Amino acid sequence: SQQGEEDPQALSIQEGENATMNCSYKTSINNLQWYRQNSGRGLVHLILIRSNEREKHSGRLRVTLDTSKKSSSLLITASRAADTASYFCATDAWETSGSRLTFGEGTQLTVNP
Amino acid sequence: SQTIHQWPATLVQPVGSPLSLECTVEGTSNPNLYWYRQAAGRGLQLLFYSIGIDQISSEVPQNLSASRPQDRQFILSSKKLLLSDSGFYLCAWSVQGSHGQYFGPGTRLTVT
């Protein structure tokens, strides 16, 4: 079953604006990850935030995690047309042998030049 | 560096025909391997994952099966395809004990 639920389902912004996507989940997690998918391509791992972390940065990406609300957000600052893609959150039901991810339905981001 | 390959890139198969999709990983040893399916405009559904040769867990009961004949080779199969098997199939790997996954380019399967 899909645990992560992203909102909005679709987001359209102008180049230079910030884009914020949210993810909610239902059960306890070890970590939460964000992935990007260009149309018809494989997913690319963007960032991982552990359950004991509240905020993490990577370049123009900022991820927050609120385990009390079981939610996370991904902020892309100063967006570019090349950021146009689908973005997925995935919760990790980590087992000693490795990660098992449960993906949300994704947010389709369109950045207009 | 590590790379992951999937083939074919696209496939059109009639209902009732067999299926074999292959995934190989280079540049790493003893990876965890995963098969996902993605319906159009949707998220990913985990089908199978493997922590080692001949160690495969099935997440969703269906007419698909997976095998891992070699450490870095993961195969998704079906004896008889259904229309509902159409979708985008993605293979991924992760390092043992790590948490991020690395995805292949995917196979677009259309069952007619």
Side-chain angles (χ1 to χ4, degrees), chain B residues 1-77:
Chain B
S1 63
Q2 300 88 5
T3 55
I4 178 169
H5 304 278
Q6 275 187 255
W7 63 93
T10 60
L11 191 59
V12 180
Q13 292 282 99
V15 168
S17 64
L19 172 74
S20 181
L21 302 181
E22 189 163 344
C23 170
T24 59
V25 181
E26 296 177 357
T28 187
S29 296
N30 198 27
N32 289 337
L33 295 171
Y34 308 84
W35 277 111
Y36 293 89
R37 177 169 60 201
Q38 184 180 30
R42 303 294 300 275
L44 275 67
Q45 179 186 37
L46 179 63
L47 302 175
F48 300 94
Y49 76 98
S50 171
I51 62 171
I53 292 176
D54 295 329
Q55 294 179 278
I56 299 169
S57 297
S58 173
E59 292 293 300
V60 182
Q62 55 205 336
N63 69 323
L64 299 173
S65 62
S67 62
R68 185 170 177 174
Q70 300 180 47
D71 179 46
R72 291 169 289 178
Q73 183 185 28
F74 206 22
I75 297 172
L76 183 69
S77 303

Side-chain angles (χ1 to χ4, degrees), chain A residues 33 37 94 97 99-100 105, chain B residues 32 34 42 59 96 99:
Chain A
Q33 304 175 29
Q37 183 181 34
W94 182 68
S97 56
S99 68
R100 278 178 60 191
E105 296 295 313
Chain B
N32 289 337
Y34 308 84
R42 303 294 300 275
E59 292 293 300
Q96 295 277 357
H99 309 289

